[in-house]
């Protein structure tokens, strides 16, 4: 089963996702960023280029020819076996639903804002992950403090 970390209370979900992607890149980790929402993925792509004046986060769409050489991949679908077979790849879920093939990823990161729709969808994903037997962890990031609890 996968370890799933929920970061609750993010002031700006996509901005925090950029920070997470930057940290994963700096740590030398492979990361797949997923959402079915094309507009959300495009906005995230744009934000990665300018969320920090000093950050550089190399990223491409998962179907780009450079995907095999790029540590951060953006995807609207997870169907390619090459994506699923990248050892040590983590998944950053920006969708409101559980992504497909979660069992293929060592770790899944979920960022939840304080918006009602986002919180409702996150609670449902939490229940579904829990019912499937995944290792769930909750982190309160509302004050950017280290308020960690395991559930």
């Amino acid at each position: 089963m996968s370890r799933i970390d929920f970061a609750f209370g993010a002031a700006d979900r996509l901005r925090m996702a950029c920070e997470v992607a930057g940290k994963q890149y700096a740590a030398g980790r492979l990361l797949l960023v997923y959402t079915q929402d094309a507009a959300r993925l495009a906005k995230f792509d744009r934000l990665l280029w300018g969320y920090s004046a000093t950050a550089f986060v190399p990223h491409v769409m998962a179907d780009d020819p450079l995907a095999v050489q790029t540590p951060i991949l953006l995807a609207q679908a997870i169907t390619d076996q090459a994506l699923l077979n990248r050892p040590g790849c983590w998944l950053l879920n920006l969708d409101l639903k559980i992504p497909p093939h979660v069992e293929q990823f060592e770790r899944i990161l979920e960022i939840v804002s304080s918006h009602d729709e986002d919180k409702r969808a996150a609670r449902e994903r939490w229940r579904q992950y829990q019912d499937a037997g995944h290792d769930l962890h909750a982190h309160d990031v509302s004050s950017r403090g280290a308020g960690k609890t395991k559930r």
Side-chain angles (χ1 to χ4, degrees):
M1 292 293 132
S2 301
R3 174 183 166 134
I4 301 170
D5 290 277
F6 276 81
F8 288 98
D12 182 326
R13 185 177 187 210
L14 292 182
R15 184 169 269 324
M16 177 169 265
C18 287
E19 293 170 14
V20 167
K23 288 178 183 176
Q24 299 310 309
Y25 169 65
R29 193 162 291 115
L30 299 173
L31 183 69
L32 177 63
V33 181
Y34 168 79
T35 180
Q36 294 179 67
D37 185 325
R40 184 178 302 135
L41 198 60
K43 183 175 181 181
F44 179 72
D45 180 25
R46 284 189 309 275
L47 281 172
L48 271 178
W49 288 106
Y51 81 96
S52 169
T54 59
F56 173 69
V57 182
H59 65 283
V60 296
M61 295 302 292
D63 59 357
D64 188 285
L66 294 174
V68 296
Q69 305 168 36
T70 308
I72 309 294
L73 302 178
L74 311 182
Q76 281 184 261
I78 306 173
T79 55
D80 186 347
Q81 283 302 314
L83 288 178
L84 296 172
N85 294 326
R86 288 182 77 167
C89 187
W90 288 13
L91 176 72
L92 174 56
N93 184 29
L94 295 180
D95 206 63
L96 295 178
K97 297 181 180 177
I98 288 183
H101 309 291
V102 292
E103 65 284 348
Q104 300 291 323
F105 295 92
E106 174 184 327
R107 197 156 177 188
I108 299 166
L109 309 172
E110 295 270 1
I111 300 171
V112 184
S113 73
S114 57
H115 299 289
D116 289 338
E117 178 186 9
D118 199 21
K119 289 191 297 188
R120 274 192 299 277
R123 287 184 193 113
E124 181 59 30
R125 289 192 311 275
W126 179 282
R127 281 190 290 276
Q128 291 173 347
Y129 285 133
Q130 191 171 46
D131 290 347
H134 293 285
D135 181 22
L136 299 174
H137 297 259
H139 309 274
D140 181 358
V141 296
S142 59
S143 64
R144 279 296 197 160
K148 279 185 173 178
T149 57
K150 179 178 177 182
R151 295 191 184 185

